[in-house]
Amino acid sequence: MTAANRADREEVLIPGSFEYHRPASLSEAVALLGQLDSEARVIAGGHSLIPMMKLRLALPSHLIDLAGVAELKGVRLDGSELVIGAMTTQHEIIGSALLQQQAPILRETAEAIADPQVRYLGTIGGNVANGDPGNDMPALMMTLSATYVLRGASGERRVAARDYYLSPYETAAGPGEVLAAIRFPAPPQGHGWAYEKLKRKVGDYATAAAAVILTVAGGKIGTCAIGLTNVGGTPLFANDAAAAVIGTALDKPVLARAAAAATAIAEPAADGRGSAEYRAKMAGVMTARALTRAFARARS
Ligand SMILES: Cc1cc2nc3c(=O)[nH]c(=O)nc-3n(C[C@H](O)[C@H](O)[C@H](O)COP(=O)(O)OP(=O)(O)OC[C@H]3O[C@@H](n4cnc5c(N)ncnc54)[C@H](O)[C@@H]3O)c2cc1C
């Protein structure tokens, strides 16, 4: 493209100018990322990236569209692990009979994201790779002990969701790496689960949210994991809050201790959703609500 053509396009495009690529396979996508300059980006559903491009907060020189890469789609069981392809949409997660049977918290969390229009195109891979602490899936992936499968020029590597988030929009993915899939152990049959999200209105990001997965044996909580959304620069794994409930029958003082432990690690910014103090407090409230529902589900 000539400089004059590029200048003409600059005048008519809301985002900056970019070249569009549509690879047919994951290896082609990875090869393109390696060949093109460092401002090349993959695009999945586009529901986080395109708004950033329209504001010119993201100015990719090349967009590599993963929509034609069939191998990145779908949900399957691999031994005792569930595997979700990165390009599986939030709508497909809601409709997955396998997930509904094995890990229904995926559906409850996906249904808390935005609205059907966003969920038809938005993918689980884009949601977790984005690095936005407001995204709902990352805290759930920490709770499920998920592993992210990354593919780059030198092959495949796996990173635990709990190690993946470094700071807002900064992740452990290296340049040129594409998230191919998410893997997590299928939670035990009869486990309890809940995702509680406080939001100002339908379609809003969380003021605070909590994901809980637990097991109950003999009326008491045997194992528990808790993740928090949008109350820090990254999703948070609430280890102390989970430890507070293990071995208990979740009475009121225990719930209060767990809520206080969740509030203690929350470091939200003050924004239109409330003061930092309020949002940290809500992290505790969401934790207590999610624990209560998860415990009831495990006992029913
Ligand atoms: C009105 C509105 C409301 C929303 N509300 C919520 C909400 O409440 N909760 C919530 O969680 N989200 C919300 N979202 C965001 C939505 O869920 C996005 O779809 C999601 O965050 C990103 O998924 P995507 O497939 O659209 O990714 P894209 O927008 O295409 O990509 C996002 C980022 O991830 C990178 N990326 C994408 N796929 C990969 C991959 N496979 N490997 C490596 N990098 C990749 C891209 O390069 C880009 O940097 C909202 C969006 C809108 C427009």
Side-chain angles (χ1 to χ4, degrees):
M1 189 189 303
T2 65
N5 279 344
R6 192 177 282 274
D8 286 348
R9 262 175 69 171
E10 285 286 342
E11 276 172 31
V12 292
L13 283 176
I14 297 172
S17 144
F18 56 86
E19 297 294 322
Y20 178 80
H21 308 262
R22 195 176 165 99
S25 68
L26 180 54
S27 31
E28 203 188 321
V30 170
L32 274 169
L33 263 183
Q35 285 156 22
L36 300 170
D37 65 54
S38 61
E39 300 305 319
R41 292 271 283 272
V42 297
I43 183 164
H47 274 304
S48 288
L49 185 52
I50 290 176
M52 300 278 274
M53 289 171 62
K54 284 166 80 176
L55 294 168
R56 297 206 176 203
L57 293 172
L59 285 164
S61 52
H62 297 265
L63 278 187
I64 302 168
D65 190 346
L66 299 177
V69 183
E71 69 208 87
L72 295 180
K73 279 243 174 217
V75 182
R76 65 189 168 89
L77 198 55
D78 179 16
S80 59
E81 282 195 326
L82 285 155
V83 185
I84 307 180
M87 284 300 286
T88 308
T89 64
Q90 289 145 15
H91 174 74
E92 288 163 342
I93 281 169
I94 290 168
S96 163
L98 180 60
L99 286 177
Q100 190 53 27
Q101 189 205 6
Q102 298 279 339
I105 194 170
L106 265 292
R107 178 183 180 150
E108 184 160 282
T109 306
E111 283 177 336
I113 293 174
D115 51 48
Q117 280 178 306
V118 172
R119 299 195 296 254
Y120 277 127
L121 281 178
T123 65
I124 190 161
N127 198 284
V128 305
N130 195 23
D132 180 346
N135 283 143
D136 287 288
M137 287 292 175
L140 173 58
M141 292 305 135
M142 288 177 154
T143 306
L144 288 165
S145 300
T147 303
Y148 297 160
V149 181
L150 301 171
R151 180 84 82 80
S154 51
E156 184 181 296
R157 72 184 178 107
R158 297 183 180 195
V159 180
R162 292 178 196 168
D163 298 330
Y164 189 74
Y165 300 99
L166 306 179
S167 63
Y169 297 100
E170 189 197 0
T171 70
E177 282 185 321
V178 177
L179 175 70
I182 296 160
R183 306 180 68 100
F184 56 90
Q189 284 300 313
H191 70 279
W193 50 275
Y195 189 71
E196 279 286 341
K197 176 175 176 177
L198 178 65
K199 52 189 174 185
R200 296 169 300 181
K201 60 181 177 62
V202 170
D204 195 16
Y205 288 87
T207 300
V212 168
I213 298 280
L214 55 75
T215 57
V216 173
K220 295 195 169 165
I221 296 177
T223 62
C224 180
I226 303 173
L228 303 176
T229 297
N230 215 17
V231 287
T234 64
L236 301 175
F237 186 59
N239 221 357
D240 289 350
V245 303
I246 290 173
T248 79
L250 205 66
D251 57 21
K252 276 191 172 173
V254 167
L255 265 181
R257 275 202 295 281
T263 295
I265 61 164
E267 289 183 326
D271 65 8
R273 296 176 182 84
S275 67
E277 188 187 7
Y278 168 72
R279 294 184 59 202
K281 177 91 180 156
M282 289 307 104
V285 173
M286 293 304 109
T287 298
R289 285 186 192 171
L291 280 166
T292 304
R293 279 205 303 127
F295 189 57
R297 276 171 166 156
R299 294 206 305 171
S300 68

